[in-house]
Every structure is written in structure tokens, then in C-alpha cells.
Amino acid sequence: MTETESIAYDVVVLGGGPVGENVADRTRAAGLSTAVVESELLGGECSYWACMPSKALLRPVIAQADARRLPGLGQAVRGPLDTPAVLARRDEYTSHWKDDGQVAWLDGTGADLYRGHGRLSGPRAVTVTGPDGTVTALTARHAVAVCTGTRAQLPDLPGLADVEPWTSREATSAKEAPGRLIVVGGGVVAAEMATAWQALGSRVTLLVRGKGLLNRMEPFAGELVAESLTEAGADVRTGTSVASVTRENGAVVVVTGAGDRIEADEILFATGRAPRTEDIGLDTVGLEPGSWLDVDDTLRVTGTDWLYAVGDVNHRALLTHQGKYQARVAGAAIAARAAGGPLLDEDWGAHVATADRHAVPQVVFTDPEAAAVGLSLAEAEQAGHRVRAVDVAFSSVAGAGLYGDGYKGRARMVVDLEEEILRGVTFVGPGVGELVHSATVAVAGRVPVQRLWHAVPSYPTLSEVWLRLLEAYRDN
């Protein structure tokens, strides 16, 4: 390998996923020269192996489930989904795993793209090894932003590599539905992929080590999702661990901790994420390779004045939309520091990611959907807040019945009894993903409960659940 050039930029961004793209967009808008280094496809995990393909797989599943709840339409959609057509649409949403469109967008911002593996080589220094072995040295006058995201974390099971298990990447990019699929895990990826592939023709067995699904949400969220998966034909087993996994004559064979033997055609492990920091040169700046990067609220790495870690690598909130929010904050903070201007670093200021601590929203695109923002009841109590949970069933809302016969759903708001604001809100039910932003505004804005009475929901919509929640709080 030969070093061919050395180029100085104001900002160098390691990782060209949605987070890195947004950092670059903000720094370029501030007039800072910016380089983006990407080793795979520009657009990152979200565009090709996570958010976009998974939701493209799930949208027909949810649409069919909604249609089946409506007399006059339900009988017309009783047949199976056209799986090849669903997969073809998924392929369109990943741009067939080509990043030409993303490259054109980045070019439009004025940032420069370097393809290859980027590694820190000291303070404010990055080396890029291109596909042809050419090494390019980059220096950053103001900041290097690490936006390399995460990878799937597989359990330490003997011989697992020989089984060729699926991770989230294989689950979202598979070319056909396996006849039988074992899904190991109880989080968002496990629940969503079990929902998708069960509906697309696989017989799914879901193995959950804990007591239930979606354990970072209110308990009733996972309970309703598990109930729906079971009704759809999936075999949901909680309190179940995997003792061993092998391939025998092409089939995957799992032996559980209880000694049960389960066979399938493929197995998906959705058992957590690890930071992509093992080979980016952290050791050259006194940091531990493979570690999560600790940052302050401006997303600057602790102990440095030039290194930022934005998105999943800082372990604050492993969600694409939250990473993009952090990117906007980090880009603004980098620009403010570069200009020598004031830093607005008070809570909810322009240069701090306060929402990471108080108002993180998430939607799980299962049937029913689960959506939440802020703290659960247990989290609020653990944080020392004096709170009260207010629960209502969506059956009390006229819009739920109109949405579909037999609508099942539940809502909870967690009220801070001292400040009379909401610490968290959770909705579970068909279509509730579109409700969560109203809750996000209420939580992020610290809207007083008494003021919420004046936010009148339209009749007859699912949003009337807000009125039912407020009435329940008043009456009890």
C-alpha cells in the first residue's frame, strides 16, 4: 500500500450512514469543508439492512391485518400475501443495494466522499485505505465525527459460525421465505421479523430468554404483541434459552436449555448490538478499541476537544431518528465551536441532545403496533420521580371501533405528580405509530397536564385517547 496524498478538511466524518450524512449536511451548511469516509454503501445500515427494508416487508403485513378487521373488505384479503411481490418492493426501497442516489445527494451538499476503510491515526488524523489499497491521509482542523454505528452481536455458542445464522441483515435482505424460521430474541428486531416472516409464509418459532417481548417498554406492549403473534400462528416461547445449535443435513437444530429439540430451515439471532469501533484506530488516541464511546450532551467524546461520537456508537439511544437528531446537534455544535461563537449548551439548547435523556420516541411496527416516548412507569420510579400511571383501553375511543372490528389496544401516560407534566406515554394498537409524535411534543415540551385539556382531539379519531387519558387522570 502506498500513501498518495494528504488532504486537510475542517471536519472528517467516519461513517456515511444517516447519522454521518446529517453531520456532513450540517457542517457543510455552516460553510465547513467536510469529508465523509464510508467502507460499504453510502446510506448505511438503515437504508439497506434495517429501517427501510424491514418496514417495506412489514407494511403489506400490517395493511392486510387492518383490512381483515373490516367487513366488506376482510373476505377479499383472506388469501396469503404475494411474497415475491413484497420482496420485489423491498428491493426497490433498498435501491437494489446500490447507493447512486445517496452519492448524488452527498455531492449536492458539497461534501467529499472517500470510499474505503477509515481509521484514526492520531489526534485529528484519519487514514483511508481504499478498495485498491491506496492510502489517503486526511486531517481535520476542527473535528472528527465517529458515526460508524453498530453490528449484530451473536452469542458465544460453540460452532455457531458453521450454522451460518441470520442476523438482522440476512433477515431483511433474504430472497425467499424459509419454510421454518427460528427467531432468537425478544426485542424490536425479533418481534418485527417474526411478524414479517410469519405473514410471508414461514412457520416461526420465537425463543425469548426473558419473561416477554419488548422488555424496554411497558409490560402490556409485549404481552399484546406476543398474543397477536400466537394468533397468527407463531410459536412464542418465553423463558427459553438456546443451549446449542447445529446444522444437520441442511436443517438447523436447536436444543433449548430445557432440553427441547427444535428444527428449522434458518435461524435468526436478534440478541443485541455491538459498536463498530473495533478497527477504527481508537488506540491511537488513547481509547479502547471495540468500546462504546462516552460523550457529553454536545456529542463530544469525554476527555477530547476534537472527537465526536454520534449515533449508535455512543450508546445513548440506538435509533436512526435519534441518531439523526444527534447529528443535527453535533453539526451545530462543531460549527459554533469552529466559529468561536457562543455554545447554547443549557438543556434544550441548540447545541445539546437533551431529548436523549427525556424524550426518545420509538415505534415497533408489529401488529399491533407499539409506540412509546419518554420513561416507562418503572423507569420513572427508578429515577426517583413521584409519578402515577393512567391507563385506558382503546375500546373507549370511537375511532378505534371505526378503525377495525375487534380493535385491541391500550394507552398509558405516566404523570409527574409534582410538576404536573408527562414523563412518558405508551400506545399499543393498530395504527398507533402515528400517535406517538403528539406524545413526543407533550413530553419534550413539558406541556402541563392542565394545558393538555385545551389540545382538543378531532372526532372520531384514535387521538381521542388523549381525552380518555385526561379524564381518567382527573377522575382518579
Side-chain angles (χ1 to χ4, degrees):
M1 296 185 294
T2 59
E3 188 170 306
T4 59
E5 57 181 316
S6 178
I7 306 174
Y9 288 88
D10 292 322
V11 180
V12 176
V13 179
L14 278 182
V19 175
E21 288 177 326
N22 274 267
V23 171
D25 184 47
R26 292 297 85 213
T27 55
R28 283 298 303 132
L32 300 177
S33 61
T34 303
V36 176
V37 182
E38 175 53 51
S39 62
E40 293 187 285
L41 296 174
L42 191 68
E45 200 80 12
C46 175
S47 298
Y48 306 103
W49 299 287
C51 314
M52 296 307 290
S54 65
K55 278 42 179 189
L57 291 174
L58 284 159
R59 179 59 198 143
V61 176
I62 303 305
Q64 184 185 54
D66 285 344
R68 285 176 171 174
R69 297 183 178 100
L70 293 171
L73 181 58
Q75 291 301 317
V77 294
R78 285 294 168 191
L81 289 168
D82 183 342
T83 298
V86 173
L87 298 181
R89 184 172 184 265
R90 182 272 317 273
D91 292 350
E92 291 177 7
Y93 270 87
T94 61
S95 300
H96 299 273
W97 290 276
K98 297 179 181 178
D99 62 2
D100 299 18
Q102 301 272 2
V103 171
W105 176 87
L106 188 70
D107 286 345
T109 70
D112 292 338
L113 173 62
Y114 289 83
R115 290 193 182 273
H117 182 70
R119 298 184 84 254
L120 293 165
S121 52
R124 294 185 172 85
V126 172
T127 58
V128 183
T129 303
D132 62 355
T134 300
V135 177
T136 304
L138 306 177
T139 57
R141 299 183 188 95
H142 297 293
V144 174
V146 176
C147 308
T148 49
T150 59
R151 55 177 172 78
Q153 187 172 39
L154 291 170
D156 185 15
L157 286 171
L160 183 58
D162 296 332
V163 176
E164 297 183 329
W166 280 9
T167 67
S168 53
R169 283 196 169 196
E170 289 77 21
T172 56
S173 63
K175 299 304 182 185
E176 61 183 11
R180 301 163 298 172
L181 174 65
I182 296 170
V183 179
V184 182
V188 176
V189 172
E192 288 189 346
M193 290 298 93
T195 298
W197 289 111
Q198 178 67 36
L200 291 170
S202 300
R203 295 200 307 277
V204 170
T205 301
L206 181 57
L207 306 181
V208 186
R209 185 171 58 183
K211 294 180 180 179
L213 300 179
L214 307 178
N215 63 6
R216 295 187 179 180
M217 287 186 162
E218 300 285 7
F220 61 83
E223 292 167 4
L224 286 170
V225 171
E227 178 184 321
S228 179
L229 276 168
T230 300
E231 290 175 354
D235 181 3
V236 180
R237 305 188 190 187
T238 58
T240 303
S241 61
V242 174
S244 69
V245 57
T246 55
R247 271 201 190 268
E248 301 176 12
N249 300 318
V252 175
V253 179
V254 164
V255 177
T256 70
D260 296 328
R261 179 185 169 98
I262 308 168
E263 291 191 13
D265 299 289
E266 301 291 349
I267 184 168
L268 161 63
F269 280 92
T271 49
R273 308 290 296 180
R276 288 181 181 272
T277 60
E278 66 276 10
D279 189 24
I280 61 168
L282 291 183
D283 54 308
T284 69
V285 294
L287 297 171
E288 181 68 28
S291 65
W292 302 100
L293 296 176
D294 185 53
V295 297
D296 62 20
D297 279 356
T298 69
L299 292 313
R300 192 165 62 176
V301 174
T302 303
T304 76
D305 63 359
W306 60 274
L307 184 62
Y308 291 73
V310 193
D312 284 7
V313 290
N314 61 40
H315 209 237
R316 287 167 68 101
L318 277 65
L319 296 159
T320 295
H321 50 270
Q322 212 67 22
K324 291 165 72 173
Y325 160 73
Q326 291 178 13
R328 296 190 292 272
V329 169
I334 291 168
R337 287 182 171 124
L343 200 68
L344 305 177
D345 58 358
E346 71 282 357
D347 275 1
W348 307 109
H351 303 134
V352 291
T354 310
D356 288 351
R357 294 186 278 108
H358 298 290
V360 175
Q362 181 174 22
V363 179
V364 185
F365 292 86
T366 46
D367 176 41
E369 291 177 346
V373 63
L375 303 178
S376 67
L377 174 61
E379 289 170 336
E381 290 175 339
Q382 289 166 7
H385 300 297
R386 191 167 68 88
V387 294
R388 178 180 144 210
V390 181
D391 293 346
V392 299
F394 269 95
S395 58
S396 64
V397 178
L402 289 168
Y403 192 98
D405 289 357
Y407 187 108
K408 290 182 181 179
R410 184 173 169 185
R412 167 175 287 181
M413 66 180 188
V414 178
V415 182
D416 186 308
L417 297 175
E418 294 179 355
E419 298 191 47
E420 285 277 299
I421 60 172
L422 304 186
R423 291 291 176 183
V425 183
T426 299
F427 304 115
V428 184
V432 299
E434 296 300 335
L435 292 181
V436 76
H437 192 62
S438 60
T440 303
V441 171
V443 174
R446 298 173 61 86
V447 180
V449 171
Q450 289 305 315
R451 179 59 62 89
L452 287 174
W453 280 101
H454 299 281
V456 182
S458 298
Y459 180 86
T461 66
L462 291 175
S463 291
E464 272 204 305
V465 75
W466 280 107
L467 180 56
R468 301 286 92 84
L469 285 165
L470 292 168
E471 289 171 340
Y473 178 64
R474 175 198 62 193
D475 295 341
N476 293 287

